Amino acid sequence: MSTITAAPKLALRHRLAERGVDRTLLLVVPGVLALIALFCYPFLYGLQLSFQPTKGGALGAYRTFFSDPFQRKSIWATFSLAIPASLINVGASVPISYRMRRDFRGKRLILALLVVPISLGTVLTAEGILEFYGPAGWFNRTLHLLGLADSPVRLTMNYTGVLLSLIISGFPFAYLLTHSYLSGIHPSLEKAAATLGADRWNRFRHITFPLLLPGLMTTFCLTFVMAFAVFPSALMVGDPDGSTHVISIEAYEAALERFDYAAGCADAMIMTALMLLVIGVVAGLRSRLYRGATGGKG
Amino acid sequence: MRPGAWLAWAALVFFAVNLAGVIGTVVLDSFSRRWFDSWVPDGYTSGWYSAAWKEFSLGRVLGTTVEVTLLVVGISLLVGVPAAYALARRDFPGKRAVTVLFVLPILVPPIAYGIPLATMLYKVHLAGTMAGVVAANLVPSIPFVIFTMTPFIEQIDARIEAAARVCGAGSGTVLVRILTPLLLPGMLAAGILVLVRTFGMFELTFLTSGPTSQTLVVTLFSAVNSAGIRSAQSVDAMAVVYTGSVAVLLLIALRFVNPTQLVARSTD
């Protein structure tokens, strides 16, 4: 009797194990539980809360956001900072990492120089920008000395200040990612093109660039995520009540200054939706590109 | 590409000069007696550092920072490494869903999930406490550990474990004597990277911390942004202390890991 009942149990366990379900899977459980409790649940809670504003019905918080021009414009402010910043960061890292593929003296020094800003932190960057690009800072003094500007150029407490801080903090990330993608493309592909008579520009245009493009799009996505969430620098070097009133500031002010949790959560949801929309568009474009082997190191 | 080469070098030099200027002004200012409308300060002093240390009670803040960071590193390794192992070794129904669950916290901006999370933590009276700050910081750290560890685990040949089992090792012995020694470099790398990231994580800590659970970044931000007259120099001194400590952590990290791992978060 016992053998008969044991047999199907064993069989079930075997069948499950063949599909990859066995006790090893228990290892993933704590991680999944932690993220459900700390990420999914709060997120759904926030979503639910955003539909329960004190006034205006279920969609009241969203309606307020889209009908108030000051709040609505924060979307435009965010995109007009995040898109140029990520394009500049990705665009500048291509030629530089192209140069850095070769080995040369001082390469490690330049690498270190490019990685340094990661350690700077927002506040030091912001203070540095305020003091260096400020009206009495070295940058304006140099311009004056060279006779390029009569009166100090206003570069801080406005759009330019935030853009500068996004470039200083975002460029190292973009560069490191682009560098790792580029080193995954085997040099022999370009050499083959060279033996077939392609010049430098054609080799880049028709061989390296198409292979690099999917990686560049991922880099763009990740840099965009960072720039999209710009928060401390928009407050410190920007014009938080005007041109750099980005959506994260709007969400923060709603939730933790006005204590209107419904509005804060609604802003957070709008922010997430926009973010996922951009990532979805880039991922859609990326899936249409060549995704085969790049002959790289892997 | 000749003009391209010149362009690249010019961009690099311009970036370097500006970077040096930004860092230089802050460091110089933190040592300056007075600096208004001139190329260099009027005089030099190191008094701002001790002033900042007292004014912002940096000793206590640094203690909190270290405590939070170490707790986050420990817990995320404890939770993340087993999950990474299971994800790397098994192909199971619903694996895609689990992977998406782990990717999302990396893609969604911290502010966007931090606000609902902070609201929830206020509700359960955890906001402002050390536990709340640690819990919030675990959200990006656990996925980060998982994605950093996966390549390390995939490098280990599964036949090594099978061989150990054939030789009579139980699961515990395989874990302690086979997997742990082989995974130690990966765990070290993941741990150091989480350490650097948690140390610098501003948004989540800012949203969830209270007066007694602030980390150094948040204190620094509040010093700049809160009302009251503070000399720029003492804020700068604190910023230099912060950057100095991150730079030391980063230098240690770079001895153990490839710099591209600092950012290669979820490359498929």
Side-chain angles (χ1 to χ4, degrees), chain B:
Chain B
M1 287 301 284
R2 287 322 292 173
W6 281 109
L7 213 66
W9 287 118
L12 206 60
V13 169
F14 187 72
F15 185 76
V17 167
N18 280 275
L19 191 65
V22 166
I23 302 173
T25 29
V26 175
V27 174
L28 202 56
D29 193 35
S30 73
F31 284 108
S32 72
R33 226 178 268 286
R34 240 163 10 108
W35 189 8
F36 290 117
D37 199 20
S38 53
W39 279 93
V40 285
D42 296 342
Y44 298 95
T45 170
S46 62
W48 297 111
Y49 283 87
S50 49
W53 188 273
K54 276 211 263 323
E55 189 181 351
F56 304 110
S57 46
L58 282 190
R60 190 174 54 78
V61 172
L62 273 175
T64 319
T65 312
V66 170
E67 211 171 318
V68 166
T69 314
L70 290 183
L71 276 172
V72 169
V73 170
I75 298 174
S76 55
L77 279 180
L78 217 58
V79 173
V81 174
Y85 179 80
L87 280 177
R89 282 286 148 85
R90 291 289 184 278
D91 215 1
F92 53 90
K95 187 176 176 181
R96 281 186 72 91
V98 173
T99 312
V100 168
L101 177 70
F102 287 135
V103 171
L104 273 181
I106 293 179
L107 284 184
V108 177
I111 284 266
Y113 64 84
I115 286 175
L117 181 64
T119 316
M120 189 196 85
L121 289 176
Y122 274 108
K123 196 134 202 164
V124 295
H125 304 295
L126 272 178
T129 64
M130 190 88 97
V133 173
V134 171
N137 276 295
L138 283 179
V139 177
S141 302
I142 292 175
F144 190 75
V145 167
I146 292 175
F147 290 113
T148 316
M149 285 305 292
T150 310
F152 282 100
I153 293 170
E154 280 168 350
Q155 274 170 17
I156 298 176
D157 197 334
R159 285 177 300 185
I160 295 177
E161 290 161 53
R165 283 182 194 280
V166 168
C167 295
S171 295
T173 318
V174 171
L175 182 70
V176 175
R177 307 200 45 184
I178 309 290
L179 284 176
T180 309
L182 286 172
L183 285 180
L184 214 55
M187 289 190 325
L188 201 64
I192 291 172
L193 292 180
V194 169
L195 190 81
V196 174
R197 285 169 64 96
T198 311
F199 199 87
M201 171 49 87
F202 171 75
E203 284 94 343
L204 288 173
T205 314
F206 177 63
L207 290 172
T208 52
S209 65
T212 57
S213 52
Q214 281 188 353
T215 59
L216 189 53
V217 218
V218 179
T219 312
L220 191 50
F221 176 80
S222 319
V224 179
N225 249 40
S226 61
I229 299 164
R230 288 215 168 76
S231 53
Q233 283 97 329
S234 70
V235 172
D236 284 348
M238 184 158 54
V240 171
V241 168
Y242 168 77
T243 303
S245 19
V246 182
V248 168
L249 285 178
L250 209 61
L251 280 180
I252 299 173
L254 287 178
R255 287 188 65 91
F256 291 102
V257 292
N258 182 350
T260 46
Q261 277 174 334
L262 281 171
V263 289
R265 296 187 287 188
S266 61
T267 50
D268 46 319

Side-chain angles (χ1 to χ4, degrees), chain A residues 192-255:
Chain A
T195 57
L196 295 172
D199 59 9
R200 280 166 178 276
W201 167 248
N202 274 319
R203 291 202 302 266
F204 177 73
R205 171 72 191 79
H206 293 289
I207 307 294
T208 314
F209 186 68
L211 290 174
L212 188 61
L213 198 54
L216 283 186
M217 288 179 127
T218 310
T219 312
F220 176 84
C221 266
L222 292 176
T223 339
F224 182 81
V225 172
M226 283 178 52
F228 189 79
V230 52
F231 177 66
S233 61
L235 276 174
M236 282 190 283
V237 290
D239 171 20
D241 296 322
S243 61
T244 70
H245 184 76
V246 293
I247 192 163
S248 50
I249 292 183
E250 178 56 43
Y252 166 73
E253 284 178 351

Side-chain angles (χ1 to χ4, degrees), chain A residues 253-277:
Chain A
E253 284 178 351
L256 291 145
E257 282 182 4
R258 301 201 296 267
F259 295 103
D260 184 351
Y261 292 122
C265 288
D267 295 350
M269 297 303 141
I270 295 170
M271 195 172 160
T272 313
L274 290 173
M275 179 77 247
L276 293 178
L277 187 76

